[in-house]
Amino acid sequence: GAVVSQHPSRVICKSGTSVKIECRSLDFQATTMFWYRQFPKQSLMLMATSNEGSKATYEQGVEKDKFLINHASLTLSTLTVTSAHPEDSSFYICSAREGEPYEQYFGPGTRLTVT
Amino acid sequence: GQNIDQPTEMTATEGAIVQINCTYQTSGFNGLFWYQQHAGEAPTFLSYNVLDGLEEKGRFSSFLSRSKGYSYLLLKELQMKDSASYLCAVSNSNYQLIWGAGTKLIIKP
């Protein structure tokens, strides 16, 4: 149990375009989903926390207009990187939690390359 | 502020035992997690401690002392596949996970 899927696993896009990443909890209802970014050889950086049916809470320094998060159901959250630039190239990972204080289960991650 | 401290890198020999320490200072405490992350992959859950003491799960054990703000992850009978980063994370009073920077464990034959 506790499987989280993420799609796509890899994406290459041109500068200025938008990319949507999907995160799904396959066998449980996720009251909360989290979006992280990780640069090579660095730790996880929390970008935002989203609860189903409400607006996401963004961490300081993360542009909410650039990284659009939608958590429309208890099993699906999406992250859209708008007007992507090469510096947005990174490993984006989502995680989902059934409730507090349960552990977060991570999706396999999406490697985004912006050319 | 809130912070998690763990060593940046450790090296151990295949078949041996290694202990990875984690100290924390957070606003409140609702449990401590250990995750394993192989290069290029997402983290996978290893253990959760909320009460003091040792939790054993196969070759991996995790210990917690809340009064000392301290935890360790103990890996026994090390295998080459255990080469990975090990992340310590604490759930604070708001159930927000505070992450350590991770400890890169290198296993040598």
Side-chain angles (χ1 to χ4, degrees):
Chain A
V3 178
V4 177
S5 71
Q6 203 171 325
H7 177 79
S9 57
R10 290 179 179 273
V11 58
I12 300 173
C13 70
K14 292 188 176 180
S15 190
T17 61
S18 295
V19 172
K20 180 186 280 189
I21 302 170
E22 289 189 351
C23 177
R24 293 180 185 272
S25 57
L26 299 184
D27 52 3
F28 67 100
Q29 294 189 322
T31 55
T32 308
M33 287 186 166
F34 304 86
W35 286 97
Y36 293 86
R37 182 165 55 181
Q38 188 174 36
F39 293 106
K41 299 185 179 180
Q42 295 187 23
S43 188
L44 294 171
M45 189 196 82
L46 179 65
M47 299 175 67
T49 302
S50 73
N51 293 295
E52 184 265 340
S54 61
K55 288 185 178 180
T57 302
Y58 290 81
E59 295 300 303
Q60 194 171 11
V62 178
E63 301 173 57
K64 63 175 78 173
D65 294 331
K66 180 170 181 62
F67 298 99
L68 302 178
I69 292 172
N70 184 279
H71 192 163
S73 77
L74 284 171
T75 59
L76 173 64
S77 177
T78 61
L79 166 69
T80 302
V81 183
T82 62
S83 187
H85 289 105
E87 56 264 32
D88 297 325
S89 298
S90 187
F91 191 43
Y92 291 86
I93 314 172
C94 75
S95 69
R97 187 176 69 192
E98 193 169 7
E100 300 161 349
Y102 302 115
E103 58 268 28
Q104 295 181 26
Y105 291 95
F106 286 85
T110 296
R111 191 159 301 281
L112 170 64
T113 303
V114 184
T115 60
Chain B
Q2 303 185 95
N3 64 279
I4 310 284
D5 289 316
Q6 51 181 132
T8 304
E9 188 173 297
M10 297 182 71
T11 302
T13 305
E14 189 177 16
I17 299 173
V18 71
Q19 177 175 312
I20 302 174
N21 295 324
C22 170
T23 57
Y24 63 89
Q25 289 180 305
T26 56
S27 54
F29 179 83
N30 276 306
L32 185 145
F33 299 85
W34 283 96
Y35 284 83
Q36 179 190 61
Q37 185 177 25
H38 284 100
E41 298 180 12
T44 55
F45 169 75
L46 288 178
S47 67
Y48 171 67
N49 293 67
V50 68
L51 299 176
D52 290 350
L54 187 69
E55 294 276 347
E56 296 186 76
K57 195 185 288 187
R59 294 189 298 114
F60 293 5
S61 303
S62 56
F63 171 84
L64 174 67
S65 169
R66 288 172 296 171
S67 62
K68 295 181 180 178
Y70 167 70
S71 172
Y72 67 73
L73 180 69
L74 190 72
L75 292 75
K76 302 177 186 176
E77 300 170 18
L78 286 170
Q79 301 174 10
M80 297 303 292
K81 67 178 182 179
D82 296 330
S83 293
S85 286
Y86 292 85
L87 309 175
C88 173
V90 173
S91 179
N92 66 8
S93 57
N94 295 323
Y95 295 99
Q96 179 187 30
L97 269 189
I98 310 300
W99 291 88
T103 298
K104 183 179 179 181
L105 178 62
I106 300 168
I107 310 295
K108 294 187 174 179

